[in-house]
Short mmCIF file of all heavy atoms in Angstrom, two decimals:
data_model
loop_
_atom_site.label_atom_id
_atom_site.label_comp_id
_atom_site.label_asym_id
_atom_site.label_seq_id
_atom_site.Cartn_x
_atom_site.Cartn_y
_atom_site.Cartn_z
N GLU A 1 -15.60 0.92 8.71
CA GLU A 1 -16.51 1.92 9.24
C GLU A 1 -16.67 3.12 8.30
O GLU A 1 -17.32 4.11 8.65
CB GLU A 1 -16.02 2.40 10.60
CG GLU A 1 -16.04 1.29 11.67
CD GLU A 1 -15.38 1.72 12.96
OE1 GLU A 1 -14.97 2.90 13.04
OE2 GLU A 1 -15.28 0.89 13.90
N GLY A 2 -16.05 3.02 7.14
CA GLY A 2 -16.18 4.09 6.14
C GLY A 2 -15.28 5.27 6.37
O GLY A 2 -15.46 6.32 5.75
N GLU A 3 -14.29 5.13 7.24
CA GLU A 3 -13.38 6.23 7.52
C GLU A 3 -12.14 6.11 6.65
O GLU A 3 -11.68 5.02 6.33
CB GLU A 3 -12.97 6.23 9.00
CG GLU A 3 -14.13 6.42 9.96
CD GLU A 3 -13.69 6.40 11.41
OE1 GLU A 3 -12.47 6.45 11.64
OE2 GLU A 3 -14.55 6.32 12.29
N VAL A 4 -11.58 7.25 6.26
CA VAL A 4 -10.36 7.29 5.46
C VAL A 4 -9.16 7.35 6.40
O VAL A 4 -9.10 8.19 7.29
CB VAL A 4 -10.33 8.52 4.52
CG1 VAL A 4 -9.02 8.56 3.74
CG2 VAL A 4 -11.52 8.47 3.57
N SER A 5 -8.21 6.45 6.19
CA SER A 5 -7.00 6.44 7.02
C SER A 5 -5.79 6.33 6.11
O SER A 5 -5.89 6.21 4.90
CB SER A 5 -7.03 5.27 8.01
OG SER A 5 -6.88 4.05 7.32
N GLY A 6 -4.62 6.34 6.73
CA GLY A 6 -3.38 6.26 5.96
C GLY A 6 -3.08 4.89 5.42
O GLY A 6 -2.13 4.71 4.67
N GLY A 7 -3.85 3.88 5.79
CA GLY A 7 -3.66 2.55 5.25
C GLY A 7 -2.77 1.65 6.09
O GLY A 7 -2.66 0.46 5.83
N GLY A 8 -2.14 2.20 7.13
CA GLY A 8 -1.34 1.38 8.02
C GLY A 8 -0.06 0.87 7.40
O GLY A 8 0.53 -0.09 7.91
N SER A 9 0.42 1.47 6.31
CA SER A 9 1.61 0.98 5.63
C SER A 9 2.88 1.41 6.35
O SER A 9 3.04 2.57 6.73
CB SER A 9 1.66 1.50 4.19
OG SER A 9 0.65 0.90 3.41
N THR A 10 3.80 0.47 6.50
CA THR A 10 5.11 0.77 7.07
C THR A 10 6.03 1.30 5.96
O THR A 10 5.71 1.23 4.77
CB THR A 10 5.73 -0.50 7.66
OG1 THR A 10 5.95 -1.44 6.60
CG2 THR A 10 4.83 -1.11 8.72
N ILE A 11 7.20 1.78 6.36
CA ILE A 11 8.20 2.18 5.38
C ILE A 11 8.58 0.99 4.51
O ILE A 11 8.75 1.13 3.29
CB ILE A 11 9.43 2.78 6.09
CG1 ILE A 11 9.10 4.19 6.62
CG2 ILE A 11 10.65 2.82 5.18
CD1 ILE A 11 10.18 4.82 7.47
N THR A 12 8.69 -0.18 5.11
CA THR A 12 9.05 -1.38 4.34
C THR A 12 7.98 -1.72 3.32
O THR A 12 8.29 -2.11 2.19
CB THR A 12 9.27 -2.56 5.30
OG1 THR A 12 10.06 -2.13 6.42
CG2 THR A 12 9.99 -3.70 4.59
N GLN A 13 6.71 -1.60 3.69
CA GLN A 13 5.63 -1.81 2.73
C GLN A 13 5.70 -0.80 1.59
O GLN A 13 5.45 -1.14 0.43
CB GLN A 13 4.27 -1.72 3.43
CG GLN A 13 3.92 -2.92 4.29
CD GLN A 13 2.60 -2.72 5.00
OE1 GLN A 13 2.59 -2.34 6.17
NE2 GLN A 13 1.51 -2.94 4.32
N GLN A 14 6.03 0.43 1.92
CA GLN A 14 6.12 1.44 0.88
C GLN A 14 7.30 1.17 -0.06
O GLN A 14 7.22 1.43 -1.26
CB GLN A 14 6.24 2.83 1.51
CG GLN A 14 4.96 3.24 2.25
CD GLN A 14 5.09 4.60 2.89
OE1 GLN A 14 5.24 5.60 2.21
NE2 GLN A 14 5.03 4.64 4.22
N VAL A 15 8.38 0.61 0.48
CA VAL A 15 9.49 0.19 -0.37
C VAL A 15 9.04 -0.93 -1.30
O VAL A 15 9.34 -0.92 -2.50
CB VAL A 15 10.70 -0.25 0.48
CG1 VAL A 15 11.74 -0.97 -0.37
CG2 VAL A 15 11.33 0.96 1.16
N ALA A 16 8.30 -1.90 -0.77
CA ALA A 16 7.79 -2.99 -1.60
C ALA A 16 6.90 -2.46 -2.71
O ALA A 16 7.03 -2.85 -3.89
CB ALA A 16 7.02 -3.99 -0.72
N LYS A 17 6.00 -1.56 -2.36
CA LYS A 17 5.10 -0.97 -3.35
C LYS A 17 5.88 -0.16 -4.38
O LYS A 17 5.67 -0.31 -5.59
CB LYS A 17 4.07 -0.08 -2.66
CG LYS A 17 3.11 0.63 -3.61
CD LYS A 17 2.37 1.76 -2.92
CE LYS A 17 3.28 2.94 -2.66
NZ LYS A 17 2.57 4.11 -2.09
N ASN A 18 6.77 0.71 -3.90
CA ASN A 18 7.48 1.59 -4.82
C ASN A 18 8.41 0.83 -5.77
O ASN A 18 8.54 1.20 -6.94
CB ASN A 18 8.28 2.63 -4.04
CG ASN A 18 7.41 3.65 -3.35
OD1 ASN A 18 6.23 3.80 -3.66
ND2 ASN A 18 7.97 4.37 -2.39
N LEU A 19 9.06 -0.21 -5.27
CA LEU A 19 9.99 -0.96 -6.10
C LEU A 19 9.29 -1.88 -7.10
O LEU A 19 9.72 -1.98 -8.26
CB LEU A 19 10.93 -1.79 -5.23
CG LEU A 19 12.07 -1.08 -4.51
CD1 LEU A 19 12.86 -2.07 -3.69
CD2 LEU A 19 12.99 -0.36 -5.50
N PHE A 20 8.23 -2.55 -6.65
CA PHE A 20 7.74 -3.67 -7.43
C PHE A 20 6.26 -3.60 -7.84
O PHE A 20 5.84 -4.36 -8.72
CB PHE A 20 7.94 -4.98 -6.64
CG PHE A 20 9.36 -5.25 -6.27
CD1 PHE A 20 9.75 -5.32 -4.95
CD2 PHE A 20 10.32 -5.44 -7.25
CE1 PHE A 20 11.07 -5.59 -4.59
CE2 PHE A 20 11.64 -5.71 -6.91
CZ PHE A 20 12.02 -5.79 -5.58
N LEU A 21 5.48 -2.74 -7.20
CA LEU A 21 4.04 -2.76 -7.43
C LEU A 21 3.58 -1.46 -8.07
O LEU A 21 4.30 -0.86 -8.85
CB LEU A 21 3.31 -3.07 -6.11
CG LEU A 21 3.74 -4.40 -5.46
CD1 LEU A 21 3.10 -4.57 -4.09
CD2 LEU A 21 3.40 -5.58 -6.36
N TRP A 22 2.40 -1.01 -7.76
CA TRP A 22 1.84 0.16 -8.42
C TRP A 22 1.15 1.05 -7.40
O TRP A 22 0.76 0.60 -6.32
CB TRP A 22 0.85 -0.28 -9.51
CG TRP A 22 -0.30 -1.09 -8.98
CD1 TRP A 22 -1.51 -0.61 -8.56
CD2 TRP A 22 -0.36 -2.52 -8.79
NE1 TRP A 22 -2.32 -1.64 -8.13
CE2 TRP A 22 -1.64 -2.81 -8.27
CE3 TRP A 22 0.54 -3.55 -9.04
CZ2 TRP A 22 -2.03 -4.11 -7.98
CZ3 TRP A 22 0.15 -4.85 -8.75
CH2 TRP A 22 -1.12 -5.12 -8.22
N PRO A 23 1.01 2.35 -7.70
CA PRO A 23 0.35 3.26 -6.75
C PRO A 23 -1.15 3.03 -6.72
O PRO A 23 -1.71 2.29 -7.53
CB PRO A 23 0.69 4.65 -7.31
CG PRO A 23 0.92 4.42 -8.76
CD PRO A 23 1.53 3.05 -8.89
N GLY A 24 -1.79 3.71 -5.78
CA GLY A 24 -3.24 3.55 -5.63
C GLY A 24 -3.56 2.47 -4.62
O GLY A 24 -2.70 1.70 -4.20
N ARG A 25 -4.82 2.42 -4.24
CA ARG A 25 -5.26 1.45 -3.23
C ARG A 25 -6.06 0.33 -3.86
O ARG A 25 -6.94 0.58 -4.68
CB ARG A 25 -6.12 2.15 -2.17
CG ARG A 25 -5.37 3.18 -1.34
CD ARG A 25 -6.24 3.73 -0.23
NE ARG A 25 -5.54 4.72 0.58
CZ ARG A 25 -6.04 5.29 1.65
NH1 ARG A 25 -7.28 4.99 2.03
NH2 ARG A 25 -5.35 6.18 2.34
N SER A 26 -5.73 -0.89 -3.50
CA SER A 26 -6.51 -2.04 -3.94
C SER A 26 -6.20 -3.20 -3.02
O SER A 26 -5.10 -3.30 -2.47
CB SER A 26 -6.21 -2.40 -5.40
OG SER A 26 -4.96 -3.05 -5.50
N VAL A 27 -7.16 -4.08 -2.86
CA VAL A 27 -6.97 -5.26 -2.03
C VAL A 27 -5.91 -6.17 -2.62
O VAL A 27 -5.09 -6.77 -1.91
CB VAL A 27 -8.31 -6.02 -1.87
CG1 VAL A 27 -8.11 -7.32 -1.11
CG2 VAL A 27 -9.33 -5.15 -1.14
N VAL A 28 -5.88 -6.27 -3.95
CA VAL A 28 -4.91 -7.13 -4.62
C VAL A 28 -3.49 -6.64 -4.34
O VAL A 28 -2.61 -7.42 -3.97
CB VAL A 28 -5.17 -7.17 -6.15
CG1 VAL A 28 -4.04 -7.91 -6.86
CG2 VAL A 28 -6.51 -7.83 -6.44
N ARG A 29 -3.27 -5.32 -4.52
CA ARG A 29 -1.93 -4.80 -4.29
C ARG A 29 -1.51 -4.99 -2.84
O ARG A 29 -0.37 -5.36 -2.55
CB ARG A 29 -1.87 -3.31 -4.65
CG ARG A 29 -0.43 -2.81 -4.83
CD ARG A 29 -0.29 -1.36 -4.49
NE ARG A 29 -0.39 -1.14 -3.05
CZ ARG A 29 -0.65 0.03 -2.49
NH1 ARG A 29 -0.89 1.09 -3.25
NH2 ARG A 29 -0.70 0.16 -1.17
N LYS A 30 -2.43 -4.75 -1.91
CA LYS A 30 -2.10 -4.92 -0.50
C LYS A 30 -1.78 -6.38 -0.19
O LYS A 30 -0.86 -6.66 0.58
CB LYS A 30 -3.27 -4.44 0.36
CG LYS A 30 -2.97 -4.41 1.86
CD LYS A 30 -1.89 -3.41 2.21
CE LYS A 30 -2.37 -1.98 2.07
NZ LYS A 30 -1.35 -1.01 2.56
N GLY A 31 -2.50 -7.29 -0.82
CA GLY A 31 -2.23 -8.71 -0.63
C GLY A 31 -0.85 -9.12 -1.12
O GLY A 31 -0.20 -9.99 -0.54
#
């Protein structure tokens, strides 16, 4: 709907991102 939200990330998802992935938003990273 074009609204900006927090992305629905849990603490566990943020651990996954912080440990192994990269900052920023992308469909690939979320996948």
Side-chain angles (χ1 to χ4, degrees):
E1 295 173 3
E3 298 179 11
V4 178
S5 70
S9 290
T10 64
I11 286 174
T12 316
Q13 285 177 262
Q14 293 179 65
V15 167
K17 178 195 72 175
N18 290 344
L19 284 179
F20 302 117
L21 302 173
W22 60 91
R25 295 185 180 184
S26 75
V27 175
V28 172
R29 197 209 72 199
K30 187 65 71 174

